Amino acid sequence: MSRDELKKEQARDSRGARFDKDWTKGSILGNLWGLSWPMIVTQAVTTLGPTLDMIWVGKLGAAAIAGVGIAGMVVQVAGSARMGLQTGTRAIVARFMGAGDEQGANHVAQQYFLISIAFGIVMAALGFLSRQMLLLGLEADVVDQGAAYLRIQLFGMVTMSFQMMSQSLMQASGDAKTPMKISIWTRLLHVGLAPILIFGWWLFPRMGVSGAALTNVVSQGVAGGWGLWILYTGRSRLRLTMRNFSFDGRMIWRIIKIGIPVAINWTERTSANLLVTWFVVPFGTVAVAAHSLMERVDNIVRMPSMGIGNAAGVLAGQNLGAGQPERAEKTGWLAVGMFSSIMLLISVILWFWPEYVISIFNTEPTLVETTITFLRIQIVGFMMLGFIITLMNCLNGVGDTWVPTLNTMITMWLVQMPLAYFLPKYTSLGVNGVRWAIVAAMVIRAAVFAVYFKTGRWKNKEI
């Protein structure tokens, strides 16, 4: 038995038969589906939190919808650094687990724990600047609603840090079912608590949009604490311990070095989407509300691609760690095909029955009509997500993070933003031109990802 095989055998013995699956062997399609379906469910229930907020907040009026929608985009921008750190950690842990080195994976997790604490403190400090972050020319009532929601979300960002830390570590090790179970149960808590805090049911005061934000913080805190307990008590594929802990500046820099491009990628993407709001604002609060609703629908539609993409990234990283680059590539293309098939079905439903989706959030005729138009335009972009999200996650999963960053940067700032300015102002498209600008950038981005992934240069990436 080789050294790597011995390490894997020892790791399986320490976890028991429940976690003895070797994701670098067997059917590629079977492994992809086996790892991705729990991640899809996890992504779905994670996205369900902001979506539930919008459903309840929708009953508070257009200003509340617009405020919470814009604040949610700011939260995504603020959380971009966390996504970078999460991706860097996931890539290194996946490599160690693929090579059968659980001790190395644990050492990475120890450093990630320190980074998560530091990140949560910084985000909490930004909470004092919540109103200043919303100075986008919005109407006063929209700013008031958004600032109230944003302040609590940033103060509670530390809970999300620990939730995402435990989730990403378990998924990178090859355990996708445990974080799925945690997400389901804590989201049920969210479902029950949200209307109570928003509308002041039972003994609680009416908190409005602040209640929606607080519900997120509470549910994320429960999920984070539960996930860390599972990791440190050995109830997942990777068992964490603080034994032999030491501060490792080199490992932290490895995580950050891989994560910096991802953080830039998320920042430029979320900030560009936020700045696009500037081009929507002149068309009124209804247009801004429709834009906000579109972002929530877009997040729902992206759920399968994020789950499949994350699974493909983990499998690609583990296969490279096991010295199987061709298997990693096949995983990526199968992931694209799997999601594109799902997206075709979803697109048909959205084209013919969009009103049923939009009316979940709000039933005001003008708002529904505007959002439906946005949605039908965006269907073209939805069909590109298989190439964009899954291949981007594959590249990030193996540590090749600069190409996704540059691709996003170029298409966002040289295609999307100029068109978002030009089309509404100099054509008859009006506010719909903003959505066409987003779609145009997505088409080009998908083509670049497909061509680069096909070259296979990422197979030689060392981290």
Side-chain angles (χ1 to χ4, degrees):
M1 181 180 292
S2 68
R3 182 183 177 185
D4 287 346
E5 290 174 337
L6 179 60
K7 285 183 178 180
K8 289 184 179 182
E9 189 65 33
Q10 291 172 342
R12 283 194 292 267
D13 290 343
S14 66
R15 296 287 77 77
R18 190 160 62 99
F19 299 112
D20 63 358
K21 173 70 174 178
D22 187 344
W23 296 102
T24 64
K25 297 179 180 178
S27 167
I28 297 176
L29 183 59
N31 287 348
L32 179 61
W33 176 246
L35 194 60
S36 65
W37 77 260
M39 290 190 182
I40 293 173
V41 174
T42 301
Q43 186 67 35
V45 295
T46 299
T47 306
L48 187 60
T51 303
L52 286 171
D53 290 346
M54 191 60 80
I55 292 174
W56 292 117
V57 167
K59 301 181 185 301
L60 302 177
I65 292 175
V68 171
I70 301 303
M73 296 180 201
V74 175
V75 171
Q76 290 179 346
V77 174
S80 297
R82 175 183 56 77
M83 292 301 300
L85 297 171
Q86 178 182 334
T87 301
T89 304
R90 188 196 296 264
I92 299 175
V93 168
R95 290 283 187 105
F96 275 125
M97 294 300 291
D101 187 356
E102 185 175 324
Q103 184 176 353
N106 180 72
H107 180 65
V108 177
Q110 290 175 343
Q111 309 310 309
Y112 186 30
F113 187 81
L114 295 179
I115 297 173
S116 296
I117 294 176
F119 175 80
I121 294 173
V122 172
M123 289 298 104
L126 289 177
F128 293 103
L129 302 174
S130 55
R131 178 171 289 274
Q132 288 81 351
M133 294 181 185
L134 297 176
L135 297 179
L136 298 168
L138 300 170
E139 296 180 11
D141 55 345
V142 176
V143 174
D144 290 339
Q145 297 283 350
Y149 182 86
L150 178 60
R151 186 178 302 112
I152 295 175
Q153 284 279 52
L154 290 177
F155 285 158
M157 187 68 77
V158 65
T159 63
M160 178 179 286
S161 296
F162 287 127
Q163 177 196 18
M164 299 308 296
M165 171 189 171
S166 58
Q167 176 179 301
S168 61
L169 288 174
M170 284 186 270
Q171 291 177 343
S173 72
D175 177 13
K177 292 183 179 180
T178 302
M180 176 189 70
K181 295 174 183 177
I182 294 174
S183 296
I184 290 173
W185 284 108
T186 54
R187 197 52 68 198
L188 289 174
L189 170 64
H190 186 127
V191 170
L193 190 59
I196 293 175
L197 296 183
I198 293 172
F199 301 111
W201 294 353
W202 196 37
L203 302 177
F204 295 89
R206 179 184 175 91
M207 298 180 67
V209 296
S210 297
L214 184 59
T215 301
N216 271 287
V217 172
V218 171
S219 60
Q220 290 162 5
V222 172
W226 189 359
L228 291 178
W229 176 77
I230 287 175
L231 284 167
Y232 279 99
T233 55
R235 289 172 169 80
S236 183
R237 188 180 183 91
L238 173 64
R239 179 171 187 169
L240 300 189
T241 174
M242 298 305 289
R243 190 183 304 114
N244 300 321
F245 168 79
S246 62
F247 177 81
D248 187 348
R250 289 187 176 182
M251 179 57 71
I252 290 177
W253 172 240
R254 286 177 65 184
I255 294 172
I256 294 175
K257 185 171 65 173
I258 296 172
I260 284 175
V262 179
I264 295 173
N265 190 345
W266 276 84
T267 300
E268 64 192 12
R269 187 168 63 205
T270 52
S271 60
N273 287 339
L274 180 61
L275 291 174
V276 160
T277 307
W278 271 343
F279 305 119
V280 179
V281 167
F283 293 91
T285 297
V286 170
V288 175
H291 180 68
S292 299
L293 285 184
M294 241 335 290
E295 292 301 315
R296 295 306 169 106
V297 174
D298 185 71
N299 287 337
I300 295 173
V301 172
R302 287 173 182 263
M303 290 187 305
S305 67
M306 291 298 294
I308 295 172
N310 285 335
V314 169
L315 292 175
Q318 290 200 10
N319 277 302
L320 284 190
Q324 302 179 115
E326 299 306 319
R327 186 180 175 90
E329 181 178 3
K330 290 180 180 178
T331 299
W333 290 121
L334 282 173
V336 172
M338 182 183 295
F339 175 72
S340 295
S341 299
I342 296 173
M343 198 63 255
L344 179 61
L345 176 60
I346 293 176
S347 295
V348 170
I349 295 173
L350 292 177
W351 179 266
F352 289 104
W353 300 283
E355 62 277 4
Y356 294 105
V357 177
I358 305 304
S359 61
I360 294 175
F361 301 95
N362 191 276
T363 57
E364 295 177 23
T366 305
L367 179 56
V368 171
E369 181 181 357
T370 303
T371 310
I372 286 176
T373 302
F374 286 178
L375 180 58
R376 283 180 167 153
I377 294 171
Q378 196 66 28
I379 284 177
V380 179
F382 290 157
M383 292 304 301
M384 299 293 106
L385 288 178
F387 294 93
I388 296 173
I389 302 297
T390 55
L391 294 185
M392 180 184 71
N393 275 277
C394 277
L395 295 174
N396 287 338
V398 301
D400 190 358
T401 52
W402 272 112
V403 170
T405 299
L406 294 175
N407 187 16
T408 302
M409 180 183 298
I410 292 171
T411 54
M412 281 284 186
W413 298 104
L414 297 185
V415 179
Q416 177 174 304
M417 296 302 289
L419 287 179
Y421 169 79
F422 177 83
L423 293 179
K425 191 171 184 179
Y426 297 104
T427 72
S428 60
L429 292 173
V431 70
N432 295 333
V434 175
R435 303 311 306 185
W436 280 115
I438 295 172
V439 168
M442 292 179 69
V443 171
I444 296 174
R445 195 176 310 135
V448 173
F449 274 128
V451 171
Y452 179 76
F453 194 79
K454 182 64 177 178
T455 66
R457 295 182 60 184
W458 51 272
K459 298 176 186 177
N460 301 316
K461 182 67 178 180
E462 296 182 2
I463 59 175

